[in-house]
Amino acid sequence: MAFKTLIAAPRLNFDNFVVSIGVGIALYFGLGFEPDWRVVVAVLAVISALVYWGRDKDTTFWAWMFIIFAIALGFGRAVWHSHAVKTPRLPFYEHAYDVRGWVESIQASGSGVSWHLRVKDIEQLEPNQTPHKVRIRLGQKHLEAATASDFIEIRAILSEPPGPAVYNGYNPSRRAYYDKIGGFGFAISVPKVERSDETSLKQKISKLRFGLAKRISETGPSETAGLQAALLTGVRRYIPPDQTDALRAAGLAHILAISGLHMGLLAGSAYYVFTFLLACIAPLSRRYDVRKFAAILAIVAAASYLVLSGASVATQRAFIMAVIIFTAVILDRQAISIRSVSVAAFITLILHPESLVSVGFQMSFAAVLALVVVYRHWQDRRHYPFESKWAAIIRRNFISLSVTSFVAGLATAGFALFHFGRIARYGLLGNLFAMPIFTFAVMPLGIISLIAFPFSLERFPLWLMGQSLLPILEISKWVASLEGAMTYIRQAPNWMIAVYGLAFIWMLVGKLRARILAMCLIVICALGWWTVIPPDIRISEDGRVSFWETEEYQRLIVTSERADRYGREQFAEKAGQSDFDVANMHAVEAPCDELACRFVVQNKVLSILNHPSEARLECEQSDIVILTQRDVGPEVRRHCRAELIDGRVLREGGAQEIYLSKGTVKRVGIKKPTSQRRLWE
């Protein structure tokens, strides 16, 4: 009986169809190898034939075959899109190139900036070897050498986009692949701005965005100008790092990413303003439903904001959702429903399958889906007591903001933990205090500022907007200063994100059977997370060693405090640590000389060598031998009883992580074998 219940025919509706497509996309990105597209087409054809053949057969069989067909369809779309966006990439080794192209975007990068350069040509490469874009880092002295949309010539040291710093960690190479960025590097010459008669629409939009952001940063109040530029144009270059850290610790980092919140406030405000203005035209409002005209104008306003903000995938998702809602208003349909969320998810996944594995997609849709479910349930059950007009408005707005902050924070908390290994413990508190100001003051004043820009009347609205942002910054600093404001945990395996995401959807929109299964999956994720053991030793690709002194993960011993800083931070985050000491290995009490150092790490002897002459002896007396710069000879490699890591291992396998749990030595390389590498690796 239980087995029959388990295999009962699933509901065939659009919502389950979209979820199945998402499962197929997730399977593609979770594979350990790149599938052959011809095999994918053949499998999809077979499944399609089975669906057609079984349409008049057993209902359960046909229903499950249709779900499998949707999964295969999502998998096939991901394969197709991944091959369609493929562009040339530079070799893995660094080389000097003379690059010509125009500056598409400018981003903050440490103390300098990074340019995304749309490449016209590279002198040393043939056209079929030239990347579509490259990312070039510049220092402080070149910050104002050129601006967005400028056509430049520059000499830079470039190589292929880097892979993850830790095993199963964030992969810059995958994101660069889908952004069509084929090279990362840094400038070694002063950029030369050249005149170009070719000006595309994208160049004009880029010039408008970054020119507007610079104008806001110069016109707005000095304390808030960078934040204002980010809110109105999506350019985060001018935000001080301490403000970003405080907002993140207070659970307010979501206001920096232009997505559903900003698009909803702008489009919703535009809709209500246009409705009011059109309703004031008596002949029009008496003859027509002016809400439909207002919805059309609101779509135009949302599209303008989409272009102005840079049209990131998260903003595109929010725009699609806004268009669906206003289209429902035009067609006299229910505007906000689970179906509208499904349609927005379907369009986003079909256009950008890779967005499924991005934190922005997961958190934004989790928040929207949870809010739709909760508000629909609330709408059906709440009552309206008699009270004065203003009291009712204040009470409803306060309750709505409180519920929105709580539900959205709870819905996104799990995904934030999976991706970032941290959560703002007092995020609800920060949102309750800050979001009313942001909703009713900051964004309306921001919209007024944008309207005032063409008339050069933006100074006063920007000043008012800045004054309304000051309390939010003070709230974020206060919440961030509370003890334990940011909680860190160990990194979870990637499979948990997929399982948790599916369980999250079933928990919200599934029937009783699906919700029981979802609860079981969430328990499995929690237990699996609890048993995760972080690595004890890291060796970077260039031979920099880091290891935890004890099992408490309070002190990190390193061979160099300056090199491999980013990789070291990722290594610490994987262990769920943010507050730890870093010590050079030569400052630690351990037997060291010019040739080698020896340490005891969790009852295992670790030898770090500077010269291969000591390798034979250390292989006999140690459990782990690391030769940081060179290769050992073939005879020593063949007879070494210890776990040996030398230059050859690092070249073939990339950075290495070593686990010392349960008295064993387990080594994992970040680079996959050539036969298992994906298109972006």
Side-chain angles (χ1 to χ4, degrees):
M1 186 68 180
F3 179 72
K4 288 184 178 180
T5 303
L6 184 64
I7 65 170
R11 289 184 299 158
L12 295 183
N13 54 34
F14 184 72
D15 301 333
N16 284 341
F17 176 72
V18 175
V19 171
S20 300
I21 285 180
V23 170
I25 295 172
L27 287 175
Y28 169 76
F29 285 104
L31 278 182
F33 59 93
E34 188 63 36
D36 190 324
W37 66 269
R38 291 164 293 191
V39 175
V40 174
V41 171
V43 171
L44 188 59
V46 171
I47 296 175
S48 301
L50 288 173
V51 171
Y52 180 79
W53 172 77
R55 69 191 188 283
D56 298 325
K57 308 294 181 183
D58 180 68
T59 304
T60 302
F61 170 79
W62 187 84
W64 279 110
M65 287 308 302
F66 187 81
I67 292 296
I68 294 173
F69 167 77
I71 293 173
L73 192 64
F75 189 96
R77 172 55 186 154
V79 173
W80 179 16
H81 179 71
S82 298
H83 283 274
V85 300
K86 187 175 183 180
T87 57
R89 289 158 68 91
L90 296 175
F92 69 91
Y93 54 84
E94 293 185 338
H95 185 73
Y97 297 95
D98 295 310
V99 186
R100 296 174 69 248
W102 63 273
V103 181
E104 184 178 69
S105 67
I106 304 173
Q107 301 174 357
S109 178
S111 59
V113 296
S114 291
W115 286 351
H116 284 188
L117 201 66
R118 184 73 68 92
V119 177
K120 177 71 174 179
D121 60 70
I122 297 179
E123 285 190 9
Q124 295 87 336
L125 300 177
E126 297 295 328
N128 62 349
Q129 300 174 320
T130 303
H132 185 68
K133 300 179 192 175
V134 293
R135 180 179 181 269
I136 300 177
R137 191 174 67 253
L138 297 96
Q140 280 280 356
K141 61 182 179 180
H142 297 150
L143 289 182
E144 305 300 330
T147 188
S149 81
D150 283 349
F151 193 89
I152 67 165
E153 180 179 353
I154 191 170
R155 187 167 179 81
I157 302 293
L158 298 172
S159 61
E160 69 176 358
V166 295
Y167 185 71
N168 277 339
Y170 170 68
N171 193 346
S173 182
R174 184 172 65 193
R175 179 171 179 178
Y177 178 83
Y178 287 99
D179 288 341
K180 298 185 178 181
I181 300 176
F184 275 44
F186 56 92
I188 57 174
S189 73
V190 178
K192 298 178 182 178
V193 179
E194 298 182 353
R195 180 180 176 83
S196 175
D197 296 329
E198 299 179 11
T199 304
S200 65
L201 178 61
K202 286 189 175 182
Q203 277 182 271
K204 294 177 181 178
I205 293 173
S206 180
K207 184 176 182 178
L208 172 64
R209 281 188 65 219
F210 285 88
L212 185 60
K214 185 176 181 181
R215 190 169 162 185
I216 293 171
S217 69
E218 294 172 349
T219 307
S222 58
E223 303 91 341
T224 61
L227 190 54
Q228 289 172 267
L231 293 174
L232 299 180
T233 66
V235 177
R236 302 190 195 180
R237 173 187 171 187
Y238 303 103
I239 305 177
D242 60 326
Q243 290 184 4
T244 303
D245 295 339
L247 289 169
R248 184 181 295 120
L252 295 169
H254 59 88
I255 71 174
L256 297 177
I258 295 180
S259 56
L261 173 66
H262 307 72
M263 185 65 73
L265 290 174
L266 182 134
S269 300
Y271 172 72
Y272 286 116
V273 169
F274 287 132
T275 300
F276 174 77
L277 294 177
L278 293 173
C280 293
I281 306 174
L284 182 67
S285 60
R286 288 173 182 172
R287 190 172 182 180
Y288 301 102
D289 185 353
V290 295
R291 294 176 302 171
K292 297 184 179 183
F293 297 114
I296 296 173
L297 294 172
I299 291 175
V300 175
S304 302
Y305 191 52
L306 173 72
V307 173
L308 184 63
S309 63
S312 66
V313 173
T315 316
Q316 291 179 39
R317 191 276 311 162
F319 173 72
I320 292 168
M321 191 74 185
V323 170
I324 291 170
I325 290 173
F326 290 128
T327 302
V329 172
I330 295 170
L331 300 177
D332 295 319
R333 300 292 183 88
Q334 185 178 1
I336 300 176
S337 65
I338 294 175
R339 179 58 49 84
S340 63
V341 178
S342 298
V343 172
F346 175 75
I347 296 174
T348 304
L349 291 176
I350 291 299
L351 293 176
H352 303 283
E354 74 280 4
S355 66
L356 180 72
V357 295
S358 69
V359 61
F361 177 92
Q362 294 170 15
M363 293 182 69
S364 61
F365 270 102
V368 170
L369 183 60
L371 288 170
V372 169
V373 171
V374 169
Y375 272 106
R376 284 188 61 189
H377 183 81
W378 186 20
Q379 189 75 23
D380 295 339
R381 287 163 176 78
R382 69 176 178 172
H383 64 283
Y384 298 89
F386 175 78
E387 54 190 340
S388 67
K389 181 179 179 180
W390 287 107
I393 292 174
I394 294 172
R395 185 184 67 84
R396 285 201 299 267
N397 284 332
F398 178 77
I399 293 175
S400 297
L401 284 170
S402 301
V403 171
T404 299
S405 297
F406 177 76
V407 172
L410 189 64
T412 57
F415 295 98
L417 282 173
F418 279 118
H419 285 279
F420 305 122
R422 60 177 181 258
I423 186 171
R425 292 176 59 186
Y426 306 112
L428 176 60
L429 183 64
N431 279 273
L432 283 178
F433 284 114
M435 290 313 295
I437 304 173
F438 186 83
T439 302
F440 299 114
V442 174
M443 285 306 293
L445 288 168
I447 296 170
I448 294 172
S449 300
L450 289 177
I451 296 172
F453 265 100
F455 309 100
S456 299
L457 300 174
E458 72 279 2
R459 184 173 296 275
F460 184 64
L462 283 177
W463 181 84
L464 289 176
M465 182 185 179
Q467 297 308 304
S468 62
L469 275 170
L470 288 176
I472 294 178
L473 292 176
E474 291 301 321
I475 291 169
S476 66
K477 292 177 183 177
W478 169 65
V479 175
S481 66
L482 298 176
E483 185 177 356
M486 189 69 79
T487 300
Y488 294 83
I489 62 171
R490 296 174 180 177
Q491 180 184 338
N494 288 338
W495 64 266
M496 284 190 189
I497 302 177
V499 172
Y500 176 81
L502 193 60
F504 178 86
I505 296 173
W506 285 346
M507 182 66 73
L508 287 178
V509 301
K511 297 297 184 182
L512 179 61
R513 179 182 61 178
R515 289 180 177 177
I516 293 173
L517 180 57
M519 292 177 64
C520 295
L521 292 177
I522 291 174
V523 170
I524 290 173
C525 289
L527 293 175
W529 207 336
W530 183 263
T531 58
V532 167
I533 299 175
D536 301 282
I537 303 172
R538 163 183 164 79
I539 305 101
S540 69
E541 195 166 358
D542 58 353
R544 308 296 182 176
V545 183
S546 306
F547 61 90
W548 296 106
E549 187 176 35
T550 63
E551 294 184 11
E552 285 72 34
Y553 307 106
Q554 295 298 315
R555 193 182 189 196
L556 192 65
I557 311 300
V558 299
T559 54
S560 172
E561 295 183 46
R562 296 184 62 184
D564 192 38
R565 184 170 299 176
Y566 175 74
R568 189 167 66 231
E569 290 173 354
Q570 294 287 301
F571 178 65
E573 288 181 8
K574 196 169 186 177
Q577 299 298 316
S578 63
D579 186 16
F580 57 92
D581 296 325
V582 177
N584 191 289
M585 70 176 187
H586 295 289
V588 179
E589 293 184 4
C592 284
D593 56 29
E594 294 181 357
L595 298 177
C597 277
R598 186 179 294 173
F599 302 88
V600 177
V601 183
Q602 295 198 30
N603 299 320
K604 297 293 183 181
V605 179
L606 167 66
S607 293
I608 302 176
L609 312 182
N610 295 325
H611 197 276
S613 62
E614 303 299 307
R616 185 186 299 275
L617 176 63
E618 296 301 326
C619 277
E620 296 175 358
Q621 299 180 356
S622 304
D623 299 291
I624 306 165
V625 177
I626 302 173
L627 179 60
T628 58
Q629 302 297 331
R630 299 172 62 180
D631 298 358
V632 300
E635 184 179 351
V636 174
R637 185 187 306 278
R638 191 165 48 250
H639 294 95
C640 186
R641 71 172 187 85
E643 187 70 43
L644 176 63
I645 299 103
D646 64 347
R648 174 181 168 183
V649 172
L650 295 176
R651 286 193 301 274
E652 294 177 354
Q656 303 288 309
E657 293 179 356
I658 299 178
Y659 298 78
L660 302 178
S661 59
K662 301 179 181 180
T664 61
V665 178
K666 178 185 176 182
R667 176 170 59 84
V668 177
I670 293 178
K671 276 186 181 179
K672 295 179 181 178
T674 304
S675 60
Q676 298 179 10
R677 291 181 184 173
R678 309 302 303 271
L679 291 172
W680 52 82
E681 294 178 337

